[in-house]
Amino acid sequence: MVMLENNMVDSPPPPWSKVGIVLVGGLYQIGYAKDRDIILIHSSSKLTLTDTITGERLAVGQEEFVSAEHYRRLRMPGFGCMAGEIIPTAGIWGGCLPRKTSDGFSLCKRDSFWPVPDVDLIYPGGEEVCVSTHNVCDIRAYGFSDTYMSFVIATESDVQIFARSRVALCSR
């Protein structure tokens, strides 16, 4: 297992790399657009759309009040470039993002170091790399996009974004 001081890894081995971190306050839930690497981030202050390949913020919207029951159904209406879509979500009310890719990568949350959990990226050959980059006790959601080209780890205060390049994927 690749681990650095305090379980911090700047970027996992190829083909993955860390795209960046989106800072949020009071994250409720996140969800990927279907068949795209765009994440909807729902926090206590706003909604954000972010491209998880480039890290570019695509849109920010102020949330209109929707009943708590709507959120507990683990679906959010899209906005901006996702207008008209219903986005499945994961976060404080439950839900789950894909944890395995079709080509053998997987994500696994380890609670063995409670109260500080870690998330491992497991490569097809079995190599485990800790991709937790800070010491938190509240990982609210984690998982891959439908395209399997990116994954996120969401905590109460941020969303860490990782992606792999199509060039690296093609050269394997």
Side-chain angles (χ1 to χ4, degrees):
M1 176 174 306
V2 176
M3 296 180 83
L4 302 178
E5 185 177 338
N6 294 329
N7 298 335
M8 294 184 187
V9 171
D10 286 328
S11 200
W16 296 97
S17 63
K18 186 170 185 178
V19 173
I21 298 176
V22 177
L23 299 177
V24 297
L27 183 119
Y28 293 139
Q29 57 194 347
I30 59 172
Y32 271 105
K34 183 160 179 59
D35 299 323
R36 294 192 286 175
D37 288 283
I38 298 174
I39 193 100
L40 180 143
I41 301 169
H42 175 211
S43 71
S44 61
S45 62
K46 62 187 167 193
L47 298 170
T48 306
L49 296 179
T50 301
D51 183 313
T52 55
I53 300 296
T54 66
E56 177 185 4
R57 181 175 290 158
L58 302 174
V60 176
Q62 293 300 320
E63 177 186 353
E64 294 179 19
F65 178 75
V66 180
S67 73
E69 184 59 33
H70 176 81
Y71 300 136
R72 290 187 179 116
R73 283 187 240 138
L74 305 175
R75 298 174 357 160
M76 290 279 304
F79 70 100
C81 65
M82 291 170 41
E85 294 183 47
I86 299 297
I87 311 302
T89 61
I92 62 172
W93 294 294
C96 184
L97 299 174
R99 304 251 170 96
K100 294 182 179 184
T101 68
S102 59
D103 60 346
F105 289 95
S106 62
L107 293 169
C108 179
K109 181 178 166 189
R110 286 186 293 125
D111 291 318
S112 59
F113 295 110
W114 187 90
V116 181
D118 289 324
V119 174
D120 291 335
L121 173 62
I122 304 168
Y123 284 68
E127 176 188 8
E128 296 180 13
V129 177
C130 179
V131 288
S132 296
T133 59
H134 45 48
N135 294 323
V136 297
C137 59
D138 189 13
I139 294 174
R140 296 200 169 171
Y142 63 98
F144 293 98
S145 66
D146 287 351
T147 69
Y148 305 132
M149 295 303 295
S150 67
F151 69 89
V152 294
I153 302 171
T155 71
E156 177 183 1
S157 60
D158 64 33
V159 178
Q160 300 171 63
I161 302 171
F162 299 83
R164 58 178 161 172
S165 71
R166 295 186 192 281
V167 173
L169 186 65
C170 294
S171 65
R172 296 174 74 206

